[in-house]
Amino acid sequence: MKLDNISIPVNKVDSREKTGGYAKYIADLRMEGMLYAKTLRSTRPRARILSVTIPPLPQGYCIVDRNDVPGKNRVKFLLDDQPFFAEDTVNYVGEPILLVVGPERQTIKEIMQGISVAYQDIEPVLELDQAEECPGGPIYGENNCFVEYAYAKGEPEAVFPAAADIIEEEYRTGYQEHAYLEPQGMIGVPEAGKVSVYGSMQCPYYVKNALIQGLGWDESRVRVVQVTVGGAFGGKEDYPSLIAGHAAFAAVKTGRPVAIVYERTEDMPFTTKRHPSVIKFKTALDRDGRIMAMDVSITLDGGAYAGISGVVLQRAMFNITGVYNIPSLRVNGKVLATNTVPNGAFRGFGAPQAFFALEMHMESLAKKLGIPSLAYKQRHMVKQGDLTATGGKFVHEVKLPEMIAIADEMSGYTAKTGSYPANREKPKGIGMSLFLHGCGFTGSGERDYIKAEVKLVRDGLSGKVAILTANVDMGQGLKTTLQKIVAKVLDLPLDSVVCENPDTDKVPDSGPTVASRSIMIVGKLLEEAALELKERWAEPGTVEVLKKYRHPARIKWDNATFQGDAYPAYSWGVNVVEVEVDPLTFEVDVTGVWTVFDVGVPIDEQIIRGQIEGGVLQGLGYAGMEVMNSKDGRVRQTSLTDYIIPTAMDFCTIQTKLVYNPYDEGPFGAKGAGELTLIGAAPAYAAAVANALGIHISHIPITPEYLMEVTDSASRSCDNSKRQADGAGDKSCEKAY
């Protein structure tokens, strides 16, 4: 079947193998002579290791620990601070100390029960609020801060003294668990002087580079093969490098394949999460209530090791003004260390925290000024040609006015806002969020660090065209969309183009499957490669075309000052959520969800709608349902029984419309989409609940317990106000509970 309109949906190319149960995930693989490994982990949040006592081992079993790391015992990432195996100290409950390796998993468990570790405890830092005091001494560096950044725009120092009013507010967000279908897993295989690692991952070359450093080997001796991935959401961006190292070291030591596949109860408490955050606004207003300047501080809880936290912080900082034109701005951000499980990449990458805080701050400012929140937001909304937070420029058309009008018509937002009858039996509310997402890597990252390459190979015999990239289909439909791009350019049937799982011995490094870049960056390179292949189609035999990323000259970025175009393009969204709240139990029912998105031109409308439904549902879970916390440094939720994620039964049908806005530097006009779809759900949900109960919400997840606490506080505050008014009639309390 040839493609007429690229946006028209087709069957996903991997639908049969996945829905039919034919797909082989890492836990399905068996190799001759394969051994298994289990991780012995720290039981203390912070301690010195005094000794490790190993019982006599049965024949065929061994221990793998720090002494078996032939290269550098550090997982390669931004700061290289996390060891593959603990050395003299442990910094969180669950930190790997050693592996027990052998042929029988039951025997491995029995050996682990006989291992004893003697610790000398050190006073831990278990809460973000304690992280700067750090009574037991800094976990990292001299000030316990992994990274600290700042940037400014305009003249905030001059504006604040001239402000008519200054409003200060604080917002907090909690953990979120990726909850992918398939837990983490890797198999290390020794192969004739080299090692191959097969696994569930989204960035094969990140894993390869980590193995090169850990093994201390030449890159030609390290091979990484992605196996079918059962979901990732960022959770398989940075963490797989650690478990891949474990599998490789064990394979090298034993000379046999070694499998490490986590159970859910091991994966959930010990792998990375979304960073908890504290975001503080200090906002200067003029006499008309218009925002003159903002001073914002963002603090993220990095957990015990830095990992990828610095980049997550950057995206939170660059998104902190959202879709609004704030003329003067000062932004400070830092990531602090705590003795908790390290936090890492997660769909949205710092933006969900920033947008929840900003959108609720805008709602709060509008309420204080007595202005409808949408009107107040529209007063500050950016338009084409305006400067971004970092002094870059919104060079492409901004279709927010059209998108808001569509969302308003779909949901009845304007008509419903403020018009719900006072109904203490079932209060109703509605909220709207406006948001964007920068597509691709920040600033000059694609040019300076990623340097993506892709290859197309037309087979001389079959005539089929193979796509060779390092990008991963983890359920988002990437194989289908990349094949559609190439097939459309070459005017071939879809099944004449093939896209296999990446193998670093075969595919060039086209960069990681992150940052909503795969279609926009890699897809564009493939489109260009296909155009060249089309011109060379008459050449006999096998034809190869290699394309390398070329940075658009228009994008200017100074990474030292965070000035310029932080992203090459932006995707946009408007979400509306309507709720009913039980005033006795504070259970929230979502009765309506309407979304409008601009992702340029969708390469496949059905795949985009799948991204929207998944992303919005994940965002609603982040807002109101997904609770994760820890006690004494130990994560309390260890399975999908006690960590509740939304199902299709928990929310109503999501109604969606797409606005076409072609991006000339994306394939067929496409921009990024995967992360955008999660970002707006939490602030829309929070605004709806706040509207229903007449309260201010500054924290997610919005649990019934939190609502009970806030409404009790609001009632006490209202009673005090009424008493102080001495019967004068305080109208501000009429809707408060």
Side-chain angles (χ1 to χ4, degrees):
M1 180 188 73
K2 292 187 178 181
L3 305 170
D4 294 324
N5 181 337
I6 197 159
S7 297
I8 294 175
V10 300
N11 287 335
K12 288 174 74 173
V13 297
D14 55 355
S15 60
R16 183 178 178 276
E17 67 175 85
K18 289 182 175 176
T19 58
Y22 306 112
K24 297 291 186 185
Y25 297 87
I26 191 68
D28 297 321
L29 300 188
R30 298 288 183 273
M31 298 185 183
E32 185 175 352
M34 190 168 78
L35 305 175
Y36 300 93
K38 190 76 176 173
T39 311
L40 183 86
R41 301 177 180 278
S42 167
T43 58
R44 308 298 177 88
R46 191 179 190 188
R48 293 183 184 85
I49 297 176
L50 301 179
S51 64
V52 180
T53 303
I54 311 289
L57 299 177
Q59 187 174 3
Y61 292 82
C62 69
I63 300 296
V64 176
D65 63 12
R66 53 179 288 198
N67 299 309
D68 297 301
V69 181
K72 185 177 179 181
N73 185 27
R74 290 291 183 275
V75 182
K76 185 175 178 57
F77 243 101
L78 302 177
L79 299 181
D80 282 5
D81 62 328
Q82 183 173 9
F84 284 104
F85 295 107
E87 297 171 344
D88 301 323
T89 61
V90 289
N91 280 315
Y92 67 96
V93 174
E95 179 161 1
I97 297 174
L98 55 81
L99 302 177
V100 179
V101 183
E104 298 294 334
R105 284 184 267 202
Q106 180 58 38
T107 305
I108 291 172
K109 288 183 180 178
E110 292 168 3
I111 293 171
M112 292 186 67
Q113 290 170 357
I115 298 175
S116 63
V117 181
Y119 298 100
Q120 180 183 39
D121 290 323
I122 305 171
E123 186 170 357
V125 178
L126 300 178
E127 302 291 339
L128 186 55
D129 291 338
Q130 304 171 339
E132 289 188 289
E133 297 175 5
C134 211
I139 304 165
Y140 181 83
E142 296 182 354
N143 62 357
N144 206 38
C145 182
F146 289 125
V147 293
E148 188 166 11
Y149 302 125
Y151 73 91
K153 173 188 175 187
E155 299 179 327
E157 294 79 7
V159 170
F160 270 94
D165 196 5
I166 295 176
I167 307 295
E168 296 187 54
E169 291 183 334
E170 177 181 299
Y171 294 87
R172 290 178 177 250
T173 65
Y175 281 122
Q176 189 176 23
E177 165 65 26
H178 303 87
Y180 27 67
L181 283 171
E182 176 207 27
Q184 305 267 358
M186 294 281 169
I187 300 177
V189 183
E191 293 175 338
K194 63 191 294 183
V195 67
S196 296
V197 173
Y198 299 77
S200 183
M201 66 188 82
Q202 57 189 94
C203 310
Y205 274 92
Y206 280 6
V207 173
K208 176 165 180 165
N209 291 332
L211 292 176
I212 290 170
Q213 176 168 293
L215 290 163
W217 289 4
D218 181 86
E219 64 176 318
S220 65
R221 298 178 63 193
V222 178
R223 176 187 177 211
V224 175
V225 182
Q226 177 240 319
V227 177
T228 301
V229 177
F233 308 117
K236 294 174 183 174
E237 176 175 349
D238 41 349
Y239 192 83
S241 294
L242 185 147
I243 187 172
H246 290 177
F249 305 143
V252 171
K253 181 168 184 174
T254 62
R256 294 169 64 175
V258 178
I260 305 174
V261 180
Y262 289 175
E263 300 289 339
R264 181 72 66 184
T265 51
E266 184 177 18
D267 190 301
M268 281 192 66
F270 304 136
T271 60
T272 54
K273 318 292 172 208
R274 189 186 297 285
H275 293 75
S277 72
V278 177
I279 300 177
K280 298 178 180 179
F281 290 93
K282 182 179 178 182
T283 300
L285 306 177
D286 66 15
R287 294 185 183 282
D288 296 324
R290 190 173 186 91
I291 298 172
M292 304 166 66
M294 281 186 175
D295 187 344
V296 190
S297 78
I298 302 173
T299 305
L300 301 184
D301 181 348
Y305 294 105
I308 205 167
S309 295
V311 189
V312 175
L313 173 65
Q314 288 180 18
R315 190 172 280 267
M317 293 174 68
F318 301 155
N319 279 284
I320 200 57
T321 58
V323 304
Y324 308 113
N325 189 352
I326 308 301
S328 289
L329 178 68
R330 182 167 50 221
V331 183
N332 293 280
K334 56 190 170 186
V335 181
L336 299 177
T338 59
N339 292 111
T340 56
V341 64
N343 297 308
F346 201 130
R347 190 180 196 174
F349 217 75
Q353 295 94 318
F355 272 96
F356 163 73
L358 173 67
E359 285 293 285
M360 294 312 293
H361 184 53
M362 294 295 286
E363 293 275 336
S364 177
L365 293 175
K367 187 175 181 181
K368 291 179 191 296
L369 295 166
I371 301 172
S373 63
L374 178 57
Y376 189 67
K377 292 178 181 180
Q378 289 173 308
R379 185 189 291 185
H380 295 88
M381 216 159 62
V382 297
K383 59 184 182 304
Q384 187 175 15
D386 283 349
L387 296 182
T388 67
T390 56
K393 187 173 286 187
F394 289 105
V395 296
H396 302 102
E397 184 178 4
V398 178
K399 290 200 170 189
L400 274 177
E402 177 185 340
M403 296 167 67
I404 291 170
I406 293 171
D408 199 10
E409 183 179 357
M410 291 168 65
S411 64
Y413 173 85
T414 300
K416 291 176 180 176
T417 302
S419 66
Y420 294 115
N423 178 2
R424 288 181 179 272
E425 296 297 321
K426 207 73 170 178
K428 297 188 70 169
I430 193 166
M432 176 185 287
S433 63
L434 314 179
F435 52 99
L436 55 73
H437 193 70
C439 308
F441 266 83
T442 301
S444 56
E446 290 285 350
R447 180 192 63 196
D448 298 339
Y449 301 107
I450 303 303
K451 304 174 182 176
E453 297 181 0
V454 306
K455 188 185 287 185
L456 289 181
V457 178
R458 199 258 338 253
D459 185 85
L461 295 176
S462 68
K464 290 200 172 186
V465 176
I467 294 174
L468 299 179
T469 77
N471 297 91
V472 169
D473 194 320
M474 45 198 171
Q476 83 280 41
L478 188 64
K479 284 183 178 178
T480 305
T481 46
L482 294 184
Q483 285 183 222
K484 286 184 75 174
I485 290 168
V486 173
K488 175 67 175 171
V489 173
L490 294 173
D491 196 26
L492 292 174
L494 191 59
D495 59 7
S496 294
V497 180
V498 294
C499 184
E500 303 291 345
N501 292 335
D503 174 342
T504 58
D505 272 8
K506 300 177 181 176
V507 302
D509 186 356
S510 54
T513 315
V514 303
S516 299
R517 64 180 290 279
S518 295
I519 289 296
M520 190 181 78
I521 301 294
V522 179
K524 183 63 177 178
L525 287 174
L526 287 172
E527 183 186 41
E528 293 172 356
L531 285 168
E532 181 179 330
L533 181 60
K534 190 173 186 178
E535 291 179 359
R536 298 173 53 190
W537 196 259
E539 293 181 15
T542 296
V543 179
E544 288 190 7
V545 176
L546 177 71
K547 285 292 177 185
K548 299 182 179 182
Y549 175 77
R550 288 173 287 110
H551 202 60
R554 66 173 178 82
I555 300 175
K556 309 295 183 186
W557 177 251
D558 184 338
N559 206 45
T561 60
F562 289 168
Q563 293 297 309
D565 295 302
Y567 301 101
Y570 296 87
S571 294
W572 304 82
V574 177
N575 284 179
V576 180
V577 173
E578 186 176 38
V579 301
E580 290 182 349
V581 185
D582 187 314
L584 181 62
T585 65
F586 290 100
E587 183 178 9
V588 177
D589 289 331
V590 174
T591 56
V593 180
W594 301 269
T595 72
V596 184
F597 290 100
D598 163 13
V599 295
V601 174
I603 297 300
D604 186 291
E605 283 192 355
Q606 188 60 36
I607 286 177
I608 287 295
R609 289 181 189 281
Q611 288 275 22
I612 291 169
E613 292 186 4
V616 171
L617 209 63
Q618 203 167 27
L620 291 171
Y622 182 45
M625 185 179 290
E626 299 185 28
V627 176
M628 177 167 277
N629 47 41
S630 61
K631 183 178 182 182
D632 300 328
R634 184 180 298 275
V635 173
R636 301 174 73 179
Q637 294 78 19
T638 61
S639 73
L640 294 177
T641 300
D642 50 11
Y643 181 79
I644 308 301
I645 61 172
T647 71
M649 300 298 291
D650 290 306
F651 296 116
C652 59
T653 301
I654 299 167
Q655 298 185 44
T656 293
K657 287 196 176 178
L658 298 173
V659 172
Y660 279 51
N661 189 9
Y663 170 53
D664 55 6
E665 292 168 358
F668 295 96
K671 298 187 284 190
E675 295 171 285
L676 172 79
T677 57
L678 181 146
I679 292 168
Y685 177 96
V689 175
N691 177 236
L693 297 177
I695 58 175
H696 174 62
I697 287 177
S698 60
H699 172 93
I700 52 174
I702 304 166
T703 62
E705 293 84 355
Y706 171 74
L707 290 178
M708 189 175 296
E709 179 183 327
V710 173
T711 51
D712 283 349
S713 175
S715 295
R716 287 195 298 274
S717 175
C718 186
D719 289 343
N720 290 336
S721 297
K722 283 182 175 178
R723 280 194 291 274
Q724 290 170 7
D726 195 25
D730 184 353
K731 299 295 183 186
S732 67
C733 294
E734 286 182 352
K735 201 180 175 186
Y737 284 77

